[in-house]
Amino acid sequence: MSTLRIFDTATRSQRDFEPIRPGHASIYLCGATPQAQPHIGHLRSGVAFDILRRWLLAQGYDVALVRNVTDIDDKILTKAAENNRPWWEWVSTYEREFTKAYNLLGVLPPSVEPRATGFVTQMVEYMQRLIDAGFAYPVPAPDGAAGSVYFDVEAWTKAEGSDYGALSGNRVEEMEQGESDNAGKRSPLDFALWKAAKPGEPSWPTPWGRGRPGWHLECSAMSTYYLGSNFDIHCGGLDLQFPHHENEIAQSHAAGDKFANYWMHNHWVTMAGEKMSKSLGNVLSISNMLELVRPVELRYYLGSAHYRSVLEYSESALTEAAAGYRRIEGFVKRFAGVERGDWTPDFEDAMNDDIAVPKALAAIHTTVRAGNKDLAAGDEDAARAKAAQVRGMAHVLGFDPLEWEDGGEASGADAALDALVQAELERRTQARAEKDFATADAVRDRLTAAGITITDTPDGPTWSLTQR
């Protein structure tokens, strides 16, 4: 039996996964900053690390996964003000949209989903520890009414055991924190742990004045509150590597916490070679995507590339992925009620190789082809055994066709349509086997007239709507 190996961003190497506590895996995932509708770039992270979690569960681990919500942020405040809405209403509206999108794509709910604004007490304690250690300093406002607190990067870089810049590979003197308000900083390298209150903005009391949390401090406070000062895996998008994750490590280590043992980063979704973002105007919302494919097919697509690889979006790539899922679905649904079986050795090796989903999918499709050959040879028992294996593997990746059907996650109309089309395809396959080409052609023509495109593949026929 192979061992799970994870590519650790901090060491830039694959390492055997050795949990702090045997049989238990603790994971922190940087979640949403709900300022607008979620797009597929946001959801890729949720799907990628849902697959990691499912594989750990399948291996028998007790998994604790914390996925936070950044519910106070410059962008949230700006968007709310532009739309003349209370900030708390604005963020709650889009937090619900993110939750809906996660659920639509079959992402398991986190063990807990803390919001930054609920952890001010823990943040104050964290800042006090850093100030006492000499790695943070408060800066009172000129009127003495409120103040900011900054992390002292230079003090930390001179400290024994400092590793600032190691995660991202950036040279300290070249780092840009990207913070617009530098008032009172000892150095531009320093970053805000706490931001002084501004007129009209929400604020909370601290010993150093009223204000609101700095972005990086939130995650250190929430992750260590739930998972302890040392936990197994910290996950997030590649764009968070610097400054967010680099600064999380700095403040946590400076406070005396060992923090995360492994760092995992998923790559971007791009379109025309550019990272998907609202500023580029190339946002593809989840609702728009679900006009093209079903939720389970979108999940299949978002999880199909290796999590550390760029996923280049195109409509043709999306529909090709949907067709790949339908090949799996069509095979499994020939065996109503088949129980989930064990995965193949190739699938296990792929998943233990840094969650190599493309290789895992290859193992599934190889099993589907072998099952179709069994059916062609009249060996239904062998084909059923392979369908059980396919279910077991698809379950780990979160798209077991029978789970989506029975769990009601696909729409009733989609499920009914698929059942009708599959029956027609079975009739066509049987007619072709009996060399009754007139009947086979009639079935195809009838489906084509109904707006259904049939594609013959080595794994059997698949179908898609000509227009959706």
Side-chain angles (χ1 to χ4, degrees):
M1 180 177 175
S2 57
T3 300
L4 173 60
R5 292 178 61 78
I6 290 172
F7 183 87
D8 176 23
T9 309
T11 62
R12 291 165 180 75
S13 64
Q14 278 203 22
R15 299 169 52 205
D16 288 353
F17 177 60
E18 298 177 354
I20 296 166
R21 182 151 55 96
H24 180 82
S26 48
I27 303 172
Y28 184 81
L29 171 59
C30 282
T33 301
Q35 54 162 314
Q37 291 286 351
H39 58 65
I40 59 174
H42 296 131
L43 270 293
R44 187 187 183 190
S45 178
V47 171
F49 297 118
D50 183 61
I51 292 172
L52 166 68
R53 182 188 189 185
R54 287 171 180 267
W55 181 238
L56 290 168
L57 288 169
Q59 298 284 290
Y61 284 96
D62 174 24
V63 182
L65 186 144
V66 179
R67 185 182 71 208
N68 79 298
V69 176
T70 299
D71 64 341
I72 189 70
D73 174 86
D74 290 345
K75 295 177 181 177
I76 291 170
L77 297 177
T78 299
K79 288 279 189 183
E82 288 174 351
N83 290 273
N84 196 30
R85 305 305 305 166
W87 70 272
W88 49 265
E89 179 196 59
W90 189 264
V91 74
S92 296
T93 298
Y94 291 108
E95 182 182 346
R96 288 192 295 272
E97 290 300 313
F98 271 85
T99 299
K100 178 182 176 182
Y102 286 131
N103 291 340
L104 278 170
L105 297 189
V107 175
L108 297 173
S111 305
V112 66
E113 193 166 26
R115 296 170 180 82
T117 54
F119 281 78
V120 171
T121 298
Q122 289 79 6
M123 293 181 214
V124 169
E125 292 172 350
Y126 226 101
M127 286 187 284
Q128 189 64 64
R129 289 164 62 191
L130 289 167
I131 291 170
D132 292 344
F135 298 120
Y137 57 93
V139 178
D143 60 3
S148 298
V149 180
Y150 292 107
F151 183 84
D152 192 331
V153 170
E154 184 178 1
W156 174 237
T157 58
K158 292 179 178 178
E160 182 179 353
S162 172
D163 51 1
Y164 195 62
L167 181 74
S168 61
N170 291 330
R171 296 175 62 183
V172 176
E173 61 271 20
E174 297 174 353
M175 292 182 180
E176 294 284 346
Q177 295 294 349
E179 295 181 351
S180 58
D181 188 356
N182 293 318
K185 281 188 181 183
R186 294 175 182 172
S187 165
L189 293 174
D190 297 348
F191 58 86
L193 299 170
W194 190 257
K195 297 183 177 184
K198 294 180 180 178
E201 288 189 353
S203 64
W204 290 260
T206 77
W208 312 283
R210 295 189 67 89
R212 59 185 174 87
W215 179 26
H216 317 303
L217 181 64
E218 299 170 359
C219 286
S220 289
M222 288 184 281
S223 60
T224 55
Y225 178 83
Y226 285 108
L227 301 177
S229 62
N230 184 205
F231 55 92
D232 292 314
I233 305 172
H234 195 309
C235 304
L238 186 65
D239 53 330
L240 300 180
Q241 196 170 329
F242 182 85
H244 186 46
H245 290 163
E246 193 75 77
N247 289 346
E248 277 189 64
I249 292 173
Q251 65 199 11
S252 300
H253 287 184
D257 291 339
K258 190 173 180 181
F259 212 50
N261 284 358
Y262 301 82
W263 286 84
M264 298 178 72
H265 291 92
N266 67 281
H267 218 308
W268 303 320
V269 177
T270 61
M271 190 167 67
E274 294 189 88
K275 176 180 176 288
M276 193 167 295
S277 67
K278 292 177 177 60
S279 61
L280 292 174
N282 58 5
V283 174
L284 294 173
S285 70
I286 302 303
S287 58
N288 287 343
M289 293 297 94
L290 296 182
E291 292 179 2
L292 300 171
V293 294
R294 294 177 292 166
V296 65
E297 293 165 347
L298 181 56
R299 180 192 170 95
Y300 181 98
Y301 168 69
L302 290 176
S304 61
H306 194 284
Y307 75 92
R308 288 192 291 114
S309 299
V310 172
L311 181 61
E312 174 71 11
Y313 174 79
S314 68
E315 190 169 321
S316 61
L318 178 63
T319 54
E320 183 180 339
Y325 171 76
R326 287 185 185 279
R327 288 194 288 272
I328 297 169
E329 180 183 46
F331 173 66
V332 169
K333 285 189 173 181
R334 296 180 186 186
F335 303 94
V338 65
E339 298 291 330
R340 290 201 309 265
D342 295 329
W343 44 79
T344 66
D346 286 350
F347 180 87
E348 181 176 6
D349 289 343
M351 295 300 290
N352 280 337
D353 182 17
D354 192 35
I355 316 297
V357 172
K359 293 180 182 178
L361 288 175
I364 292 176
H365 283 288
T366 295
T367 307
V368 169
R369 285 192 292 271
N372 282 324
K373 288 181 180 178
D374 290 336
L375 284 174
D379 191 346
E380 186 164 332
D381 289 341
R384 178 176 288 273
K386 291 182 176 63
Q389 282 186 309
V390 170
R391 277 204 70 192
M393 294 184 284
H395 171 73
V396 169
L397 299 183
F399 58 73
D400 176 3
L402 298 188
E403 283 185 321
W404 279 77
E405 179 185 68
D406 296 341
E409 295 177 68
S411 73
D414 278 336
L417 178 60
D418 183 67
L420 293 171
V421 175
Q422 290 296 343
E424 287 292 280
L425 293 181
E426 290 282 358
R427 187 175 297 112
R428 176 173 175 265
T429 299
Q430 183 66 31
R432 294 177 74 181
E434 296 172 355
K435 300 189 183 304
D436 183 0
F437 297 113
T439 298
D441 290 344
V443 171
R444 185 182 190 111
D445 291 345
R446 188 160 59 249
L447 291 173
T448 299
I452 294 169
T453 299
I454 305 303
T455 303
D456 290 308
T457 76
D459 299 336
T462 64
W463 67 273
S464 60
L465 293 177
T466 305
Q467 295 180 335
R468 288 196 66 155

